Amino acid sequence: MFPCSDPATWGPSLDAAVDAVSRGAVIVLPTDTVYGVGADAFNADAVAAVLAAKGRGRQMPPPVLIPDARTVDGLGYDVPAAAKALMEACWPGALTVIVHAQPSLAWDLGETHGTVALRVPDHPAALALLKRTGPLAVTSANKTGQPAATTASDAQAQLGDAVAVYLDGGDSPLGTASTIVDATDPAGLRVVRDGGISRERLVEIVGVEAFAPEADAQEADG
């Protein structure tokens, strides 16, 4: 367990996390929503270890946290203008956007069907880490079916020795998961999980016409 609440003193903690990521180990990190468990997005064995720690299979691939919106161009393609507008308005923040993944990417996140879910977290420690590690495959730090961890000790109680480094940034500011928007449907955007950013806010940014006609009837994916 490494403290990372204070930028003046978190250097050694981030060093430990960067070292763990570089050797393919699994880490837990604070984000603005809930704590995340993650690893190098380009290390297939490390991503598999993240899923194993959660007790989750390849059919539920993890999202990828990135340090800034510029990274999207290297990971996704054919991103709709409306999705880019949401990224610009809501990142860093509690919005995850599913886009088509660049087919040339040498990674294996699971059964993604050619897509990737991207987010820039609004958390100083997470952003400082991502600037050093690059994209991390990160999902909520809990066993599947259990509540998402909002403290590092919550995460440790659930994940134990499956994680090499726990970064303790205090309580999660939001304590709720991100909103997920699917931007891969030609018919328009779809909200597939309600979370930290309301549908009303999303519509306010891009207009209701940017969403697929039946999007309002979509049930949130737990």
Side-chain angles (χ1 to χ4, degrees):
M1 187 74 71
F2 294 83
C4 68
S5 297
D6 183 356
T9 59
W10 70 27
S13 298
L14 293 190
D15 288 346
V18 170
D19 178 67
V21 169
S22 68
R23 67 175 192 267
V26 175
I27 66 168
V28 158
L29 66 153
T31 80
D32 47 331
T33 54
V34 295
Y35 271 75
V37 56
D40 180 358
F42 293 95
N43 183 325
D45 290 339
V47 173
V50 170
L51 295 176
K54 275 186 71 84
R56 174 179 284 187
R58 287 174 51 82
Q59 74 281 3
M60 296 183 72
V64 173
L65 294 186
I66 55 178
D68 55 62
R70 291 172 298 178
T71 312
V72 172
D73 292 337
L75 302 180
Y77 78 96
D78 197 21
V79 179
K84 291 182 177 178
L86 289 181
M87 294 170 182
E88 184 175 337
C90 299
W91 283 356
L95 176 70
T96 299
V97 183
I98 301 171
V99 300
H100 294 289
Q102 288 282 4
S104 59
L105 288 172
W107 64 7
D108 181 5
L109 299 171
E111 295 172 15
T112 64
H113 306 290
T115 68
V116 61
L118 301 173
R119 185 166 92 86
V120 179
D122 189 11
H123 192 285
L127 291 173
L129 178 66
L130 288 162
K131 283 180 171 63
R132 295 180 59 185
T133 62
L136 294 177
V138 177
T139 183
S140 58
N142 56 279
K143 288 288 190 183
T144 296
Q146 298 300 310
T150 56
T151 67
S153 57
D154 282 351
Q156 188 173 40
Q158 295 192 53
L159 302 176
D161 293 340
V163 173
V165 169
Y166 288 86
L167 293 179
D168 184 357
D171 292 348
S172 301
L174 274 179
T176 188
S178 64
T179 298
I180 300 178
V181 171
D182 187 343
T184 65
D185 188 339
L189 304 177
R190 297 177 184 276
V191 178
V192 295
R193 183 178 74 188
D194 291 312
I197 295 178
S198 70
R199 294 184 186 222
E200 291 74 20
R201 175 63 180 140
L202 300 177
V203 169
E204 186 181 294
I205 296 165
V206 295
V208 70
E209 64 278 0
F211 290 84
E214 65 272 33
D216 288 342
Q218 286 268 117
E219 289 198 14
D221 173 13

